[in-house]
């Protein structure tokens, strides 16, 4: 492990897809963020990538009530939907891997449905796959439908829970970064509110009037992200929410320790 340490970065589903329209990808955003990842990799940082599901996962999960586990009345449709969502997620993951490959980076996808069980931050599964010793193969995983050992049979493991466990358990993480799609960081009000202002330092007791669009999002939206991020910040000094469309801010943060965005405090 080199002295620069690791960066754990989540490409939010709202950044890499259009969340409202089923299976619509934002290739330009993926390309830009991959270029930044390349720069970081060239500078010797070891990266771990997590990504969200956006419209490749949340819409069908919502429609088929996947988060609440098996429902005998619609069991058959649900089982088909689970297969469909898992395959959608691998497709989205492959788009990110392909985009990295185009610029000379090798990323290895680790679909959680194949190695993780259970939902929430106490899911089980061997996290050693993320503990790469150099930066020539970047591990990448994503929020997914996973099996559960209880009567629910399946459920949704969010990329935010993966961010938490990876940041807490893999050694030498110096930065944990959540990239958002359309905002500069955590805001005081939903982004469409004219009074919305950027919160530069967020800690647990800060009140935000977040807009968790539960009609689309089947995990916890910004609320779950914030909860996990605060927990991560107890261990990792640099936990940030940034605008994923402003790659220069990611570089500025890594180089100077600060930028426009929200720093999460314990
Ligand atoms: O977007 C959700 O992951 P997230 C995964 O990281 C699915 O919360 C399949 C909806």
């Amino acid at each position: 492990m080199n002295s620069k340490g690791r960066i754990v970065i989540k490409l939010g589903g709202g950044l890499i897809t259009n969340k409202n329209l089923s299976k619509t990808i934002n290739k330009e955003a993926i390309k830009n963020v991959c270029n930044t990842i390349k720069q970081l990799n060239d500078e010797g940082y070891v990266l771990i990538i997590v990504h969200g599901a956006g419209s490749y996962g949340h819409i069908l999960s919502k429609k088929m009530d996947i988060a609440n586990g098996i429902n005998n009345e619609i069991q058959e449709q649900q089982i088909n939907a689970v297969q469909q969502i898992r395959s959608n997620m691998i497709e989205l993951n492959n788009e990110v891997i392909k985009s990295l490959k185009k610029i000379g980076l090798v990323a290895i996808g680790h679909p959680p449905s194949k190695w993780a069980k259970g939902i929430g931050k106490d899911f089980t599964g061997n996290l050693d796959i993320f503990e790469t010793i150099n930066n020539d193969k970047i591990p990448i995983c994503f929020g997914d439908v996973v099996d559960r050992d209880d009567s629910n049979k399946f459920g949704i493991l969010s990329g935010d829970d993966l961010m938490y466990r990876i940041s807490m358990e893999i050694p030498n993480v110096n930065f944990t970064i959540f990239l958002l799609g359309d905002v500069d960081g955590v805001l005081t009000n939903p982004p469409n509110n004219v009074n919305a202002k950027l919160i530069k330092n967020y800690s647990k007791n800060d009140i935000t009037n977040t807009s968790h669009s539960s009609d689309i999002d089947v995990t916890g939206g910004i609320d779950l992200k914030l909860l996990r991020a605060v927990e991560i910040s107890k261990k990792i000094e640099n936990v940030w929410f940034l605008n994923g469309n402003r790659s220069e801010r990611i570089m500025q943060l890594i180089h100077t320790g600060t930028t426009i965005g929200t720093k999460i405090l314990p």
Side-chain angles (χ1 to χ4, degrees):
M1 184 76 211
N2 66 25
S3 60
K4 288 199 164 171
R6 286 193 170 85
I7 300 174
V8 186
I9 192 162
K10 182 177 183 203
L11 321 184
L15 172 69
I16 61 174
T17 77
N18 172 351
K19 279 196 105 167
N20 304 309
L21 254 183
S22 186
K23 289 187 72 180
T24 43
I25 195 161
N26 188 342
K27 284 201 180 177
E28 199 53 30
I30 295 179
K31 185 175 145 205
N32 290 339
V33 78
C34 287
N35 282 332
T36 309
I37 287 168
K38 166 90 173 125
Q39 256 176 287
L40 294 168
N41 182 273
D42 286 348
E43 291 184 16
Y45 292 94
V46 177
L47 287 133
I48 299 175
I49 306 174
V50 177
H51 65 78
S55 58
Y56 278 64
H58 288 268
I59 296 174
L60 190 52
S61 297
K62 181 83 193 168
K63 188 169 164 214
M64 287 292 141
D65 201 20
I66 301 302
N68 292 318
I70 200 138
N71 170 346
N72 292 338
E73 282 163 31
I74 51 163
Q75 184 172 335
E76 241 170 75
Q77 292 106 296
Q78 280 187 314
I79 288 167
N80 288 337
V82 167
Q83 294 313 324
Q84 183 64 57
I85 298 160
R86 285 177 175 162
S87 112
N88 289 351
M89 288 310 300
I90 289 177
E91 196 181 317
L92 179 61
N93 185 237
N94 282 337
E95 287 291 339
V96 181
I97 293 175
K98 211 166 71 190
S99 185
L100 289 166
K101 193 170 173 206
K102 269 194 197 146
I103 49 173
L105 292 181
V106 179
I108 311 288
H110 297 289
S113 63
K114 301 204 167 123
W115 61 268
K117 260 192 175 181
I119 61 166
K121 64 177 183 166
D122 296 322
F123 69 88
T124 57
N126 187 355
L127 293 173
D128 289 353
I129 42 178
F130 298 102
E131 202 174 332
T132 46
I133 40 171
N134 52 33
N135 55 2
D136 63 351
K137 287 192 185 76
I138 304 174
I140 175 165
C141 68
F142 45 83
D144 203 359
V145 183
V146 293
D147 291 340
R148 297 181 68 178
D149 276 333
D150 55 23
S151 58
N152 286 283
K153 300 246 190 309
F154 50 74
I156 293 180
L157 178 62
S158 171
D160 298 326
D161 291 312
L162 291 157
M163 288 294 281
Y164 171 79
R165 291 286 296 282
I166 291 170
S167 301
M168 298 305 271
E169 290 175 33
I170 303 299
N172 302 111
V173 174
N174 289 340
F175 290 88
T176 296
I177 301 171
F178 292 83
L179 295 180
L180 305 171
D182 46 7
V183 285
D184 287 341
V186 183
L187 306 180
T188 51
N189 293 293
N192 51 4
N193 183 320
V194 283
N195 297 318
K197 285 198 185 64
L198 177 68
I199 301 175
K200 291 185 179 160
N201 293 293
Y202 177 90
S203 60
K204 197 176 83 191
N205 298 325
D206 288 343
I207 315 249
T208 59
N209 175 12
T210 54
S211 69
H212 172 204
S213 47
S214 53
D215 50 328
I216 297 175
D217 203 309
V218 293
T219 47
I222 189 77
D223 297 341
L224 176 68
K225 270 187 239 308
L226 281 171
L227 192 69
R228 293 291 173 261
V230 168
E231 291 170 309
I232 298 168
S233 73
K234 292 180 186 151
K235 180 180 179 215
I236 310 291
E237 201 193 319
N238 296 293
V239 182
W240 284 75
F241 282 67
L242 300 180
N243 186 336
N245 291 310
R246 301 295 299 266
S247 46
E248 73 284 3
R249 295 182 187 165
I250 306 172
M251 297 315 293
Q252 189 182 34
L253 169 65
I254 304 295
H255 291 150
T256 70
T258 190
T259 190
I260 297 172
T262 303
K263 180 173 183 168
I264 308 295
L265 305 172

